[in-house]
Amino acid sequence: MEHSREFDEKPEPTVSARKAKLEQLAACYARTFLETEDGKRIFANLKLKFPADAVRFAEGRSTHMAAFIDGQASVLTEINRAIDLGRTTTPASTT
């Protein structure tokens, strides 16, 4: 996760505050996609629909379509990064 601004109008004033906020958000991703059966099912479906290893450039495919597919894959890459960070910052669930 690389975005400094997530939901607020103003970025956090310090690096440590930004890092803490980023870790909290990453923990939200991890809880959402890893701790419930619905979240796991939705995440698996997203990975099937928008695979990171999708062929972007192919003969006859426009560069616009390639960019579109790349954008889809980048969203999943961002979610995966957030989940990985969230796993390392969140204690194991007790549910």
Side-chain angles (χ1 to χ4, degrees):
M1 296 187 49
E2 301 168 8
H3 305 291
S4 62
R5 294 176 61 183
E6 298 296 339
F7 301 112
D8 294 348
E9 291 298 316
K10 294 185 278 186
E12 295 296 330
T14 65
V15 172
S16 61
R18 285 191 297 272
K19 183 178 179 194
K21 187 173 188 174
L22 182 65
E23 288 174 351
Q24 291 169 358
L25 186 60
C28 290
Y29 275 89
R31 284 192 306 273
T32 299
F33 289 112
L34 300 178
E35 292 188 8
T36 67
E37 290 307 311
D38 285 346
K40 291 174 188 176
R41 186 174 179 191
I42 289 168
F43 189 51
N45 182 255
L46 289 171
K47 288 192 286 187
L48 285 173
K49 286 183 177 183
F50 313 113
D53 60 351
V55 175
R56 278 116 163 124
F57 296 96
E59 191 169 335
R61 181 177 286 164
S62 73
T63 55
H64 297 287
M65 181 55 80
F68 182 75
I69 292 168
D70 192 56
Q72 291 176 329
S74 70
V75 170
L76 260 292
T77 300
E78 181 75 11
I79 292 172
N80 274 317
R81 283 185 190 142
I83 289 171
D84 289 344
L85 178 61
R87 279 185 188 148
T88 62
T89 59
T90 305
S93 174
T94 57
T95 58

